[in-house]
Amino acid sequence: CLWTLTAILKETLKDALAPRAGVLKKLLAPLDAVLEGFYNAILLHHFDSHHYTSPYSEATNNLISFIDLLEALLASRIELELPLRCQRILFLKVSYVLNLISSSIPYVIKKKLILLLKKCVLYKSREDAKSGSLFLQTPSLCEDMLALSNAVLQVVSLTWLNQIPLSGKSSYFGSSEAAPGDDSQGGSDQTVLRALSLVVLKALEFKIHNSATEAEIK
């Protein structure tokens, strides 16, 4: 079901002739509450269980399918003037994703989620993309980005970054040690390192631009 819905979303976005906004609304509006329920149930699940130890298990594949759907929902958001709740949930409840990244799930899923976060911080509505402004003009996106920024900065100010592996081996974000058998340059996944750094910098930038007081900025 997840795969089918994702495939329909992707095909709809590719179809230049279809009235995409109408099609997406018709498809997603009846599923809005269901998809939010899925998000809560799937991402709040206890992922430290033995079902997720292998990157090839059925449980892992189901989780990957759900992340693919979240990515398609993010991409489809640009078509609707007023995004649905299921297209905003990733921003509003990003703490579920942040907790999942620091859990003991397979590295392949952590990487996929980090790259999805990167897409979130770089996302712009059609109006914002046209205006070329550095500041977001769309109220719903502004609200969503602030929620995401607050959640990211909250975990970063704790020990979240130190718990994130930078490869499938044992080299960590806050570690000065290379993974066993690697030289000091070769132990880290540079794609993940760049994506994580960008997520933190963008969250910081957005928070600073939208802070009311100097104390908040500090």
Side-chain angles (χ1 to χ4, degrees), residues 74-128:
L74 177 67
S76 70
R77 176 176 176 149
I78 201 165
E79 299 297 334
L80 299 183
E81 202 173 313
L82 286 171
L84 296 163
R85 179 82 180 172
C86 64
Q87 294 169 310
R88 300 180 64 191
I89 195 75
L90 187 55
F91 293 85
L92 300 175
K93 294 188 177 178
V94 73
S95 58
Y96 293 15
V97 171
L98 298 172
N99 290 338
L100 194 49
I101 290 169
S102 61
S103 73
S104 60
I105 53 166
Y107 181 73
V108 63
I109 300 179
K110 290 178 190 265
K111 182 170 182 173
K112 205 168 170 58
L113 286 169
I114 289 165
L115 294 177
L116 180 58
L117 281 182
K118 178 187 162 187
K119 286 184 178 177
C120 287
V121 297
L122 293 176
Y123 178 82
K124 280 190 173 179
S125 68
R126 193 164 276 150
E127 292 76 19
D128 288 319

Side-chain angles (χ1 to χ4, degrees), residues 38-106:
F38 263 27
Y39 185 91
N40 296 341
I42 291 175
L43 298 192
L44 265 183
H45 187 73
H46 185 65
F47 287 103
D48 295 330
S49 74
H50 66 278
H51 297 298
Y52 295 91
T53 49
S54 165
Y56 308 106
S57 69
E58 188 184 351
T60 301
N61 281 332
N62 289 341
L63 187 52
I64 288 171
S65 294
F66 188 64
I67 296 167
D68 287 339
L69 176 59
L70 289 176
E71 203 171 324
L73 286 169
L74 177 67
S76 70
R77 176 176 176 149
I78 201 165
E79 299 297 334
L80 299 183
E81 202 173 313
L82 286 171
L84 296 163
R85 179 82 180 172
C86 64
Q87 294 169 310
R88 300 180 64 191
I89 195 75
L90 187 55
F91 293 85
L92 300 175
K93 294 188 177 178
V94 73
S95 58
Y96 293 15
V97 171
L98 298 172
N99 290 338
L100 194 49
I101 290 169
S102 61
S103 73
S104 60
I105 53 166

Side-chain angles (χ1 to χ4, degrees), residues 191-209:
T191 305
V192 170
L193 181 58
R194 283 194 298 269
L196 265 177
S197 302
L198 185 67
V199 167
V200 175
L201 287 171
K202 280 291 191 184
L204 200 56
E205 179 189 41
F206 193 78
K207 181 67 178 167
I208 287 169
H209 285 318

Side-chain angles (χ1 to χ4, degrees), residues 24-36:
L24 288 168
K25 214 162 191 179
K26 196 179 278 189
L27 174 69
L28 294 175
L31 294 172
D32 206 19
V34 177
L35 289 172
E36 184 173 358

